[in-house]
Amino acid sequence: MTAETLRELPLKSLHENAGAKFGGFAGWYMPITYPLGVMKEHLHTREKAGLFDISHMQLFELTGTNADAALAATCPVDPAIIENGESKYTLLLNDQAGIIDDLIVTRYAADRWIIVANASRAAVDEAQIRGIVERHGCKLEALDRVFLAVQGPTAVAAAKAAGIDGTDLTFMHGKEQDGLIITRSGYTGEDGLEIAVKPEDAEALAAKLLARPDVEWIGLAARDSLRLESGLCLYGNDMDEATTPVEASLLWPIPKALRESGTFHGADAFRAALVKGASRKRVGLKPEGRMPVRNGALLSDADGNEVGVINSGGFGPTVNHPIAMGYVNKSALDVGSLLFAVVRGNKIPVAVASLPFTPHRYFKG
């Protein structure tokens, strides 16, 4: 897609004034880097507070007296054990148990949920979710919001100084305040808040957050290296509709009771995949030396047999070495197993590694 056909963020002019360099992502014209540069943006987020414009992501509101049943039919979650103000990470599956998207769902009332979808999948998600929830007599509405994330050790304090008090929240909990939808979550492995604000109020909020010297705009490139260090998946790289939760090492969001008897969409295919087991799985990978191993690089064993592929790869500024995630055959899954990737004609040793590469620092109370 060209810049003329990409969708633009409501706060585009703010990013331009901040010196952002733009590029296409998931159909949007997105800030990739700012004058600080990727390395400093990444480390600033780990050390202070980074501000991310994630308005390309889509928020949906699910309402209706049967909202719990509708959500349970849509995703492998158990609404009965989710309290008001509590968020859950979950998956949207197709008929073959392939991953359509990964979602965050938050309960705000007995009959009201907010669902956050990835930009590249929003239209596909909406079609599938709407079809299910409307059969339960419920309503799904796409919300028009600017979506900002402030992440890092000083993020919650910075938000409080801007009039957004998230100190009463713990990780994966949310609330509404003065028309804002606030959750204490994020995609960096750091503590922080995600804030959905009405478009007419967004510029003023961003200015308040940026008024503190510890808050800096952070672009998509650093967001990617932050999430990779934290072992978090990127849709389209680390999961897709041809990948099941079993292969993606994403069984943990699915309650054990639902694995056995859930009636969510794709449940039968999911159980069949679970019984069969995975011939490959997503793992962490640590290349030797300083050269990053990028997406698409094939992995082989010591005998030259192809055993996997890199799906996300780059340099980890916090850990100060190259990092990657990929899918590896069952025969080579053990942590420490030595594989090889060919990069620019060089055979790079790559060890299977534990995830995450850097510890999560979520606030859990």
Side-chain angles (χ1 to χ4, degrees), residues 42 46 188-190 225-231 318-319 321 323 354-362:
H42 178 114
R46 291 274 187 248
T188 62
E190 297 293 331
S225 58
L226 288 158
R227 69 91 192 170
L228 180 53
E229 278 190 342
S230 301
T318 310
V319 296
H321 60 70
I323 53 176
S354 299
L355 293 171
F357 296 100
T358 187
H360 295 162
R361 298 197 289 186
Y362 307 128

Side-chain angles (χ1 to χ4, degrees), residues 11-344:
L11 298 183
K12 178 189 172 188
S13 62
L14 288 190
H15 301 298
E16 290 175 330
N17 293 338
K21 293 182 179 179
F22 289 80
F25 176 75
W28 288 78
Y29 193 53
M30 295 290 295
I32 306 300
T33 61
Y34 294 86
L36 272 181
V38 178
M39 182 78 73
K40 289 183 178 179
E41 290 174 39
H42 178 114
L43 295 174
H44 184 92
T45 304
R46 291 274 187 248
E47 295 164 3
K48 296 179 183 179
L51 181 60
F52 302 78
D53 189 339
I54 54 172
S55 302
H56 59 306
M57 301 182 74
Q58 180 64 58
L59 279 71
F60 296 100
E61 182 181 56
L62 168 63
T63 55
T65 54
N66 292 326
D68 281 14
L71 186 63
T74 303
C75 301
V77 294
D78 183 0
I81 63 173
I82 302 175
E83 300 177 351
N84 280 355
E86 186 177 2
S87 304
K88 290 291 184 184
Y89 174 85
T90 189
L91 304 169
L92 186 65
L93 305 180
N94 62 24
D95 292 342
Q96 293 76 42
I99 302 172
I100 293 174
D101 202 1
D102 58 339
L103 310 170
I104 299 289
V105 299
T106 307
R107 180 195 289 279
Y108 284 98
D111 58 355
R112 180 169 174 262
W113 296 80
I114 299 295
I115 301 170
V116 181
N118 284 304
S120 63
R121 307 301 291 169
V124 177
D125 293 358
E126 182 174 5
Q128 170 135 332
I129 296 170
R130 187 179 300 281
I132 296 171
V133 303
E134 287 184 352
R135 290 197 293 273
H136 287 76
C138 295
K139 179 181 178 182
L140 186 74
E141 180 183 0
L143 300 181
D144 181 18
R145 296 290 188 276
V146 169
F147 204 20
L148 301 175
V150 57
Q151 299 279 292
T154 68
V156 174
K160 186 175 182 181
I164 302 167
D165 190 356
T167 56
D168 57 330
L169 299 175
T170 55
F171 180 61
M172 294 299 282
H173 285 78
K175 67 178 183 179
E176 292 179 284
Q177 173 191 316
D178 301 326
L180 303 173
I181 300 171
I182 305 164
T183 53
R184 196 160 186 170
S185 60
Y187 192 54
T188 62
E190 297 293 331
D191 185 22
L193 303 175
E194 292 185 309
I195 307 158
V197 55
K198 293 178 180 177
E200 60 268 26
D201 299 327
E203 191 167 332
L205 174 57
K208 288 179 183 178
L209 289 166
L210 291 164
R212 279 178 58 115
D214 57 333
V215 179
E216 293 279 358
W217 280 121
I218 308 297
L220 205 64
R223 180 174 165 86
D224 191 54
S225 58
L226 288 158
R227 69 91 192 170
L228 180 53
E229 278 190 342
S230 301
L232 303 174
C233 294
L234 175 64
Y235 193 90
N237 282 44
D238 309 299
M239 63 177 91
D240 55 28
E241 290 204 47
T243 309
T244 70
V246 183
E247 296 169 308
S249 300
L250 287 174
L251 290 177
W252 61 267
I254 305 175
K256 290 183 179 180
L258 295 188
R259 297 178 199 177
E260 299 172 359
S261 58
T263 56
F264 53 90
H265 191 89
D268 290 342
F270 165 76
R271 279 190 278 275
L274 191 60
V275 170
K276 181 180 179 182
S279 60
R280 59 169 195 150
K281 281 197 174 182
R282 178 178 62 91
V283 296
L285 298 160
K286 182 181 177 182
E288 186 177 291
R290 304 290 290 178
M291 183 183 292
V293 179
R294 303 293 182 182
N295 311 359
L298 298 177
L299 297 167
S300 62
D301 61 18
D303 297 322
N305 302 305
E306 186 179 317
V307 295
V309 63
I310 301 287
N311 295 89
S312 287
F315 191 82
T318 310
V319 296
N320 197 32
H321 60 70
I323 53 176
M325 289 193 298
Y327 282 83
V328 173
N329 293 352
K330 190 175 180 180
S331 61
L333 283 176
D334 293 341
V335 171
S337 294
L338 188 62
L339 309 176
F340 298 89
V342 177
V343 180
R344 300 176 188 171

